[in-house]
């Protein structure tokens, strides 16, 4: 999917770029990227028409590599598209352009924030962001029909950042999505379910549209 240039901390203002980060960019972040896109299509028809762009990269990314075969199976289970994926190593430009960075683990979050680029207020683990989003009253966010999905998404990130110090994880492990690399398909599927469950309230909050039943 060809994406227009994003905003991040500078540049265009008509798009909102979500960056998913894991280690190799062949298991967790590809699953999360493609499940996010799939969920956005369910709600918006075409995410790009709402200005939302979804990407992924890895802190030790396998540049140019395909996603793991088991990751493709997991995506197929959800009816999501795995085609055309190419692994990427996380670069400064990815962080600069991102409006929201969602990482698999706290270590990934720390690595993104350590790159600078004022990333701290827009970088969360996926499960951390889910927990924060659940505590935000949707009525306090811009109406996507009036002000657009991009404005709503930006307001959601600001609200989540403001809540972070007040709404802590029950345990450190609660914010982690563990690496299934090299594991059997059963573990991949459990990680896929975990990611999908974490994404559902996030995509609903971003778009203001619940998943179709």
């Amino acid at each position: 999917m060809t994406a227009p240039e994003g905003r991040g901390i500078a540049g265009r203002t008509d798009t909102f770029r979500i960056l998913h980060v894991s280690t190799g960019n062949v298991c967790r972040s590809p699953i999360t990227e493609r499940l996010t896109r799939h969920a956005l299509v369910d709600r918006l028809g075409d995410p790009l028409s709402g200005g939302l762009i979804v990407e992924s990269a890895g802190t030790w990314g396998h540049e140019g590599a395909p996603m793991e075969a088991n990751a493709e199976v997991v995506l197929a289970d959800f009816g999501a598209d795995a085609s055309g994926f190419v692994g990427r190593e996380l670069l400064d430009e990815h962080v600069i352009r991102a409006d929201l960075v969602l990482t698999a683990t706290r270590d990934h979050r720390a690595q993104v924030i350590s790159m600078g680029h004022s990333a701290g207020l827009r970088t969360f683990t996926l499960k951390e962001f889910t927990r924060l989003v659940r505590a935000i009253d949707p009525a306090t966010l811009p109406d996507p029909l009036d002000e657009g999905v991009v404005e709503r998404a930006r307001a959601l990130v600001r609200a989540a950042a403001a809540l972070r110090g007040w709404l802590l994880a029950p345990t450190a492990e609660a914010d982690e999505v563990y690496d299934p690399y090299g594991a059997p398909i059963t573990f991949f599927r459990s990680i896929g379910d975990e990611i999908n469950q974490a994404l559902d309230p996030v995509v609903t909050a971003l778009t203001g549209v619940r998943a179709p039943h």
Side-chain angles (χ1 to χ4, degrees), residues 9 49-50 104 112 120 132 179-180 199:
I9 55 176
S49 68
V112 171
L132 297 171
D179 193 355
L199 280 173

Side-chain angles (χ1 to χ4, degrees), residues 8-63:
I9 55 176
R12 289 176 58 143
T13 59
D14 56 350
T15 57
F16 184 91
R17 192 176 295 261
I18 303 166
L19 176 67
H20 293 295
V21 175
S22 63
T23 303
N25 195 214
V26 291
C27 298
R28 287 168 292 182
S29 50
I31 290 172
T32 316
E33 173 198 314
R34 294 306 175 92
L35 285 181
T36 304
R37 289 189 189 180
H38 183 65
L40 288 171
V41 168
D42 273 352
R43 289 162 169 81
L44 299 178
D46 177 6
L48 285 178
S49 68
L52 300 182
I53 300 161
V54 187
E55 302 176 310
S56 64
T59 54
W60 292 85
H62 297 263
E63 188 73 31

Side-chain angles (χ1 to χ4, degrees), residues 190-213:
S190 71
I191 292 297
D193 286 339
E194 211 172 293
I195 290 169
N196 192 60
Q197 287 175 28
L199 280 173
D200 181 66
V202 169
V203 177
T204 298
L206 284 167
T207 61
V209 182
R210 293 189 179 277
H213 295 292

Side-chain angles (χ1 to χ4, degrees), residues 14 18 30 43-44 62 67 79 98 114 116 128 134 147 156 158 168 175 185:
D14 56 350
I18 303 166
R43 289 162 169 81
L44 299 178
H62 297 263
M67 75 173 77
S114 74
E128 173 192 22
R134 286 185 186 277
E147 299 182 57
L156 183 69
R158 289 194 298 270
L168 303 178
D175 282 345
I185 187 61

Side-chain angles (χ1 to χ4, degrees), residues 16-187:
F16 184 91
R17 192 176 295 261
I18 303 166
L19 176 67
H20 293 295
V21 175
S22 63
T23 303
N25 195 214
V26 291
C27 298
R28 287 168 292 182
S29 50
I31 290 172
T32 316
E33 173 198 314
R34 294 306 175 92
L35 285 181
T36 304
R37 289 189 189 180
H38 183 65
L40 288 171
V41 168
D42 273 352
R43 289 162 169 81
L44 299 178
D46 177 6
L48 285 178
S49 68
L52 300 182
I53 300 161
V54 187
E55 302 176 310
S56 64
T59 54
W60 292 85
H62 297 263
E63 188 73 31
M67 75 173 77
E68 283 288 293
N70 280 348
E72 292 194 5
V73 171
V74 167
L75 290 173
D77 288 345
F78 287 101
D81 183 13
S83 64
F85 181 85
V86 178
R88 303 192 305 175
E89 182 173 357
L90 181 66
L91 302 175
D92 288 281
E93 67 189 62
H94 301 144
V95 177
I96 290 167
R97 289 162 61 186
D99 296 279
L100 172 61
V101 184
L102 296 176
T103 69
T105 69
R106 292 166 296 151
D107 282 348
H108 297 133
R109 181 184 64 196
Q111 287 179 66
V112 171
I113 292 171
S114 74
M115 294 170 73
H117 315 303
S118 306
L121 291 176
R122 51 198 167 92
T123 303
F124 309 80
T125 75
L126 170 61
K127 287 186 172 182
E128 173 192 22
F129 195 65
T130 302
R131 185 176 69 254
L132 297 171
V133 159
R134 286 185 186 277
I136 295 166
D137 181 355
T140 65
L141 300 172
D143 186 325
L145 295 178
D146 291 338
E147 299 182 57
V149 172
V150 168
E151 285 307 312
R152 183 184 177 92
R154 288 193 190 127
L156 183 69
V157 172
R158 289 194 298 270
L163 272 179
R164 179 151 44 189
W166 299 93
L167 196 63
L168 303 178
T171 66
E173 291 72 28
D175 282 345
E176 305 282 289
V177 175
Y178 291 107
D179 193 355
Y181 186 78
I185 187 61
T186 50
F187 188 63

